[in-house]
Every structure is written in structure tokens, then in C-alpha cells.
Amino acid sequence: MSRPGHPDIRTDGLFLRSPGEADLEMMRGWRNADGVRQMFRSTALISAAEQRYWYAGWCRRTDDLMWIALDDAGTPLGQGALYDIDQAAGTAEAGRFIAAPAIRGSGRFGAVCRAITGFGFGVLGLARLRLEVRPENAVARRFYVGQGFRNAGVSADGLVIMILDRPEGTR
């Protein structure tokens, strides 16, 4: 079951939907994978109970949208989110991006990122998206630059801040 009222995204042969309880183990597996979890702010393994606790809290949030991306055949491609959405300021954090193992490095995940950022700009009317990435995560930094993000400094805890401004002509 998905979170009620959570918007779906359909674009470029993709279907992005709200994660449901049945997705939690898949998501936890993606997040806990060696080489992935080390790139998150918290590098600890997440237990099934911790994942359920996170999901229960996420279901109550009104400033957090997250999607599981599927291709036309229904194959999961990964996940991503917009959170800390502040419509008055026109900003949100983009993140929780994880490509499914089967497509990592294939170039296919870019469409997922573009669908989510496009939703933020076109549907939510946001002006700027922000994300933070570990400085040693060169693969992610290159990916985000390829999606149009630019370096904007370093956070107090040493993470690279990247921003993406709304493209001209978008809402």
C-alpha cells in the first residue's frame, strides 16, 4: 500500500510511485548494500525494525515525497525523494537517490532523477533544489553535475552542497 494522497509520476517510460510496506525490504537492501550505505550521512546498517520505524514516520510527514521508480515492465529501477519541501521559500532537498543494482552504471537512472527534479519544478513550483553528498563520492557528484546540479560549497559537517535552480521557462 502506498501513502494516501502521494502523487505518482509518469514520464519517459517510467512510473514513479510512493513506496509501500511491501517495498521496505527491497529499499533496505539497496540502502544497506556495501558501497551504497557508506555514501549516506549515516553509514550504519539499518535493521528491518529501523526501516519500519522510518517508514511510519515518513507516512506522517507532509513535507516529504519519495518514489520507487519502475520501468514499463514493472522492474524496479531505484528510488529518490524530495524532502524538507518549503513551498513558501520555493525550496526542497533532493536525495535518497539509489539506483537498483541491476542498472547501476548503465545511465538509466538519470531519467529517474530528471523525473523527480522535474516534478519539483513543474508541479510543486519550486525554484531551487539542494542536496548534500560526501566529498569522497565522486560517482554521485559526477552524476549530479550531469543532471545540472552545481557545487555550492561545503556544509558545516563537511558534505559537498550542490544546487539545481529551476530551468528557464518552467512554471
Side-chain angles (χ1 to χ4, degrees):
M1 171 174 283
S2 297
R3 184 167 86 180
H6 188 289
D8 293 337
I9 303 172
R10 295 178 197 278
T11 183
D12 298 329
L14 298 174
F15 174 57
L16 287 78
R17 61 166 175 76
S18 169
E21 288 184 37
D23 299 310
L24 295 181
E25 278 306 302
M26 175 182 67
M27 293 167 60
R28 188 170 75 93
W30 290 345
R31 165 57 176 74
N32 279 346
D34 286 337
V36 173
R37 79 171 178 279
Q38 292 86 350
M39 296 302 133
F40 276 80
R41 187 178 298 271
S42 169
T43 61
L45 288 169
I46 297 172
S47 71
E50 289 168 321
Q51 185 78 9
R52 287 190 304 275
Y53 179 80
W54 169 84
Y55 182 73
W58 175 78
C59 284
R60 291 188 297 274
R61 288 189 65 173
T62 59
D63 67 342
D64 190 325
L65 298 172
M66 185 162 180
W67 293 273
I68 299 292
L70 309 168
D71 66 13
D72 285 335
T75 304
L77 301 176
Q79 67 179 44
L82 297 174
Y83 52 96
D84 295 335
I85 299 167
D86 183 340
Q87 298 236 226
T91 62
E93 181 100 7
R96 297 190 205 123
F97 289 113
I98 303 176
I103 69 159
R104 284 189 195 133
S106 71
R108 295 177 63 198
F109 195 68
V112 174
C113 184
R114 287 188 298 278
I116 292 171
T117 59
F119 181 89
F121 294 130
V123 176
L124 297 180
L126 301 175
R128 174 173 283 178
L129 300 176
R130 176 184 192 275
L131 59 80
E132 295 180 347
V133 62
R134 289 183 170 276
E136 66 271 22
N137 193 348
V139 171
R141 289 193 348 260
R142 278 192 306 273
F143 173 78
Y144 294 133
V145 167
Q147 297 301 308
F149 284 85
R150 62 182 166 83
N151 290 326
V154 178
S155 69
D157 55 352
L159 299 176
V160 176
I161 299 168
M162 301 184 81
I163 59 172
L164 178 65
D165 290 316
R166 179 176 49 222
E168 292 289 322
T170 306
R171 188 173 172 185

